[in-house]
Amino acid sequence: MSDAIPNLQEVADDLCVIRSMNTDQFNHTPAELLLFTGSARSGRPSMGSWVTYGLGTENENLPGFVVLISSGVQPSAGPSAWGSGFLPSVFQGVQCRSKGDPVLYVSDPPGMDRAMRRRTLDVLRDLNETQARDLGHPENYHAHRPI
């Protein structure tokens, strides 16, 4: 125990200290990626993405998992820490922010009323349906593109 934290010895039996976890990564970003994705390099699915991929979700209209950022400080690895990597984007985590709107792009943009937002979303839906009909699923777009 350390004198740097007064009274720590009084609660020592209630603590769990893991001393076997270590890495040869010398920077925060690769170490965080290793922790959250199993690889020190970007591009791998996060732990939450694999859990959502393997177990599915109870609701089709909500994200499979959300990410809470404490104190408004993002991890060094950024969105890669909760990204879907090579899995389809439906397995990506959705970040809840501590300042402003909790989820980006849910509120109407400044200067746009509810009716205009509804029309905009309806047109976007129509465009997406046309593209899906013509090209297939957007996650598989590269497979339908002529070489």
Side-chain angles (χ1 to χ4, degrees):
M1 296 290 112
S2 170
D3 292 334
I5 305 174
N7 305 318
L8 182 62
Q9 59 270 22
E10 293 175 16
V11 295
D13 291 336
D14 298 326
L15 298 176
C16 175
V17 178
I18 301 173
R19 299 180 67 160
S20 61
M21 293 180 73
N22 58 62
T23 180
D24 57 357
Q25 300 303 316
F26 59 88
N27 254 335
H28 283 187
T29 299
E32 287 177 356
L33 285 172
L34 184 63
L35 175 67
F36 294 122
T37 70
S39 173
R41 296 179 181 214
S42 294
R44 301 288 304 177
S46 66
M47 197 176 351
S49 295
W50 280 121
V51 169
T52 306
Y53 175 79
L55 299 178
T57 178
E58 292 285 321
N59 189 316
E60 293 179 10
N61 300 319
L62 294 174
F65 70 102
V66 296
V67 179
L68 304 175
I69 303 294
S70 63
S71 307
V73 178
Q74 296 216 14
S76 299
S80 295
W82 58 84
S84 58
F86 53 76
L87 293 175
S89 59
V90 70
F91 301 110
Q92 169 111 1
V94 173
Q95 178 184 351
C96 289
R97 302 177 326 144
S98 57
K99 296 177 184 169
D101 286 341
V103 178
L104 290 175
Y105 312 117
V106 173
S107 296
D108 296 331
M112 181 181 279
D113 65 14
R114 200 60 156 161
M116 174 63 85
R117 179 74 182 265
R118 179 74 266 156
R119 288 192 303 272
T120 303
L121 292 173
D122 289 344
V123 169
L124 184 59
R125 180 203 58 223
D126 294 344
L127 289 170
N128 285 337
E129 286 174 356
T130 300
Q131 181 179 5
R133 185 176 56 251
D134 294 346
L135 301 174
H137 195 282
E139 294 282 348
N140 300 323
Y141 178 69
H142 65 279
H144 299 285
R145 201 172 0 166
I147 297 176

